[in-house]
Amino acid sequence: MKILVYLVSYEIKNFKFERMMNQIVNPLRNDGIEVEIASCVTTKNEIEDKIDYSFYSDGMQLTKSCYLVSNLSKNNYDWYIKIRPELNINNIINKKFIEGLSKEKINARCREYSGPPIYRRYGFSCQNGGKWQEKSEIEQIIPDDQIYIFHKNCIKAFEELNEDVYLEYCKKLCEKKENWVKYDTWLKEDFWLKPKIKVEGEDSHAFIWYSRGIFVNIIDLSCMLESRGFRSDVLKVI
């Protein structure tokens, strides 16, 4: 098995490199898995001499992720693990953890959930998220982008991304609205034009991934985003 662990951010500074090694990289290597490390930033990268691949891009979170994956997919990784540098993971990600994940969906926590009853002790990405959780016959998930893990089967979710791609998918949804569309604003071209597109929040991830036919598997993962104090919280819809 071969895994790529990659970081995406505007810059990487004061990064706790050893923490990532102890939480993710070393446990996987100890299980006999080949692991490479990469990053994609806009400006400063303090770990460039410690990792295998470094990329630079003016894009935001998802555009950077697509750019990096598109450039490295030729290396034939079995799995990809994307993280933000300031994320502290309380779990150990090892072979057993990876083998419990979906190979057909992107494995992530969620930021908003509508759907059938569900319980994940650490499935929500920030505290006090009850107002963004509701029961519904139709499942609509806005994924969190702080960390996600996906198999090579999902690689098409990370093809080249630019403004034209957003507008192309927007037009297709206007012709046929899919059940996974969370907000009607997604059907308006102005919503995806700059500078809005520059933000690329969680809704952008849902819009692009789902437009490409790749959906989300909600996982339990205890984390804290140190830059904002966001902690994993319970996802509970009954």
Side-chain angles (χ1 to χ4, degrees):
M1 188 185 298
K2 187 177 182 180
I3 294 179
L4 178 69
V5 176
Y6 69 95
L7 301 103
V8 173
S9 186
Y10 177 75
E11 61 182 357
I12 298 178
K13 64 178 183 179
N14 302 318
F15 175 54
K16 298 175 181 177
F17 187 80
E18 290 305 317
R19 183 174 69 186
M20 180 189 72
M21 297 297 293
N22 293 332
Q23 293 170 337
I24 304 176
V25 178
N26 289 336
L28 291 170
R29 287 176 174 169
N30 291 340
D31 286 337
I33 297 172
E34 181 182 355
V35 181
E36 293 186 328
I37 307 171
S39 68
C40 188
V41 301
T42 300
T43 58
K44 190 174 185 179
N45 186 355
E46 292 183 346
I47 64 169
E48 196 165 11
D49 61 340
K50 297 181 179 180
I51 62 178
D52 299 288
Y53 305 98
S54 296
F55 293 92
Y56 288 84
S57 168
D58 290 331
M60 298 300 288
Q61 281 281 322
L62 183 55
T63 298
K64 281 189 173 79
S65 192
C66 292
Y67 177 69
L68 183 149
V69 172
S70 295
N71 275 277
L72 293 180
S73 59
K74 62 182 180 295
N75 293 348
N76 296 317
Y77 301 104
D78 296 289
W79 289 90
Y80 297 78
I81 302 174
K82 180 268 184 185
I83 60 173
R84 288 178 59 167
E86 66 269 40
L87 190 68
N88 183 12
I89 305 169
N90 296 320
N91 302 66
I92 296 297
I93 296 181
N94 53 20
K95 183 177 181 180
K96 182 179 179 181
F97 184 91
I98 295 294
E99 288 178 339
L101 301 177
S102 171
K103 292 184 177 180
E104 307 304 325
K105 297 181 178 182
I106 296 171
N107 302 276
R109 298 170 301 158
C110 68
R111 184 62 65 90
E112 296 183 42
Y113 176 85
S114 298
I118 187 173
Y119 178 81
R120 297 285 188 276
R121 176 61 186 90
Y122 297 109
F124 210 74
S125 63
C126 58
Q127 303 98 304
N128 304 316
K131 63 181 179 180
W132 295 299
Q133 304 176 21
E134 62 181 3
K135 187 176 180 179
S136 172
E137 293 183 1
I138 299 174
E139 185 179 77
Q140 296 174 322
I141 299 172
I142 303 297
D144 185 81
D145 71 337
Q146 296 166 19
I147 179 170
Y148 48 80
I149 305 171
F150 58 98
H151 189 262
K152 60 185 178 182
N153 292 343
C154 300
I155 202 75
K156 69 177 183 179
F158 298 90
E159 294 173 351
E160 182 182 2
L161 182 59
N162 54 47
E163 186 177 283
D164 290 338
V165 174
Y166 277 95
L167 298 182
E168 176 188 349
Y169 292 152
C170 180
K171 291 176 181 177
K172 288 182 178 179
L173 287 175
C174 288
E175 295 171 359
K176 181 185 177 182
K177 183 179 178 181
E178 302 288 349
N179 285 338
W180 50 258
V181 172
K182 179 71 173 176
Y183 301 110
D184 287 339
T185 52
W186 291 4
L187 307 178
K188 299 178 180 179
E189 291 187 9
D190 288 348
F191 183 77
W192 300 113
L193 293 173
K194 296 177 180 179
K196 177 64 182 178
I197 195 175
K198 284 288 188 179
V199 178
E200 276 192 338
E202 290 82 4
D203 56 342
S204 294
H205 291 69
F207 179 80
I208 294 298
W209 292 348
Y210 301 166
S211 292
R212 292 174 170 176
I214 302 296
F215 296 90
V216 170
N217 174 49
I218 302 174
I219 58 173
D220 264 323
L221 196 59
S222 177
C223 309
M224 177 177 177
L225 188 68
E226 295 181 336
S227 60
R228 298 186 182 181
F230 288 173
R231 294 180 183 272
S232 295
D233 204 352
V234 64
L235 169 60
K236 184 178 181 180
V237 174
I238 58 176

